[in-house]
Amino acid sequence: MSKPTVPELSPPGGWRVPTGERLPPLAPERATTTQRLLIGVIKKVGKLDAANLWGLLSHNMRLMRGFLFFSSRMMPLGELERRDTELAILRVGWNCRARYEWGQHVDIGMRAGLKAEEVARIAEGPEAPGWLPHQAVLLRACDEFHHDRMVSDSTWALLAERYSERLLLELLMLIGFYEGLAGVLNSTGLPLDNALEKILANAPIHSLARPAVAATHWTKKDST
């Protein structure tokens, strides 16, 4: 008798997907030598299995080079604590209902030191019991940025108790960058890589989540 599977943790309303894959990743056989070399370096240095993302970005190499430089300044070469960075990215992916961003950073976040129960708790938002005070504020900043396009005065004051002006700016850029990337990933319909699908399916986060609690946060503002 097969063991019953645990439903995948997903946000209220489900993941955002278009009717089809609108801009498929560039097929490897269509890639130029320069593109193949660049992607090879990315995989070796970044240790990140994201062939579909690199294939998508390969449609515009001019933008891809800028994307790689800017994004690397925040992850993995940012000055924020890595766990804080991944908490923010995962909350952005959850808020934007961006399955590619979420699935990729479940893997990256756990390799960066997040525990399975912390990843699962992201679904419940900043009010969930168990967060350290600065983690709750960090998630609240992500939520306010997403829904109001502005971090409130009260949340900003609490962030400023922990982060320098330099890091406050990095945090805002981090949240804004991954909000924009989530929109690109959702709009193009980029599918999660097969290897990441397996990692996400086997991640011990799905049985730890409390989706009923997760659905209570922000749903009045973001019910679409």
Side-chain angles (χ1 to χ4, degrees):
M1 184 174 179
S2 61
K3 182 180 178 181
T5 58
V6 177
E8 178 185 317
L9 176 62
S10 60
W15 303 108
R16 286 192 179 276
V17 292
T19 54
E21 190 179 355
R22 294 171 173 171
L23 188 58
L26 188 70
E29 59 270 19
R30 291 180 55 199
T32 66
T33 301
T34 300
Q35 289 171 326
R36 289 195 294 269
L37 287 173
L38 178 59
I39 292 173
V41 170
I42 294 169
K43 290 180 178 178
K44 184 175 181 180
V45 174
K47 296 180 175 61
L48 179 60
D49 190 347
N52 287 353
L53 177 59
W54 310 138
L56 173 66
L57 295 175
S58 293
H59 286 291
N60 190 322
M61 291 300 292
R62 182 179 67 87
L63 292 181
M64 183 178 183
R65 287 189 290 270
F67 172 95
L68 291 171
F69 178 80
F70 184 65
S71 63
S72 69
R73 301 305 96 180
M74 296 176 290
M75 198 288 294
L77 303 178
E79 295 179 352
L80 288 166
E81 183 182 329
R82 284 287 293 120
R83 281 166 44 85
D84 288 357
T85 294
E86 291 303 323
L87 281 174
I89 295 172
L90 282 164
R91 186 59 181 175
V92 168
W94 183 265
N95 284 338
C96 295
R97 295 158 57 189
R99 190 169 183 272
Y100 193 99
E101 194 163 88
W102 170 263
Q104 187 184 78
H105 283 272
V106 166
D107 174 39
I108 297 173
M110 293 183 71
R111 285 195 281 122
L114 290 180
K115 297 178 181 178
E117 54 266 31
E118 292 176 310
V119 175
R121 196 188 307 141
I122 289 168
E124 302 174 35
E127 308 305 326
W131 293 124
L132 296 174
H134 85 272
Q135 293 174 326
V137 174
L138 184 69
L139 297 183
R140 189 172 301 117
C142 293
D143 289 2
E144 292 173 354
F145 193 109
H146 178 70
H147 293 281
D148 302 327
R149 286 295 177 262
M150 176 180 170
V151 175
S152 68
D153 287 344
S154 58
T155 300
W156 183 265
L158 292 171
L159 288 171
E161 292 179 3
R162 177 176 176 84
Y163 302 114
S164 65
E165 292 177 343
R166 180 183 180 92
L167 292 183
L168 285 169
L169 183 57
E170 181 176 326
L171 176 60
L172 293 178
M173 288 290 189
L174 175 76
I175 297 172
F177 175 82
Y178 278 93
E179 283 267 339
L181 179 58
V184 172
L185 298 172
N186 288 350
S187 297
T188 57
L190 187 70
L192 196 60
D193 303 79
N194 289 335
L196 291 174
E197 283 283 9
K198 293 178 181 178
I199 291 172
L200 178 60
N202 293 322
I205 63 174
H206 310 291
S207 61
L208 296 174
R210 296 185 295 165
V213 176
T216 65
H217 192 68
W218 287 115
T219 50
K220 290 183 180 179
K221 288 187 177 182
D222 191 29
S223 58
T224 56

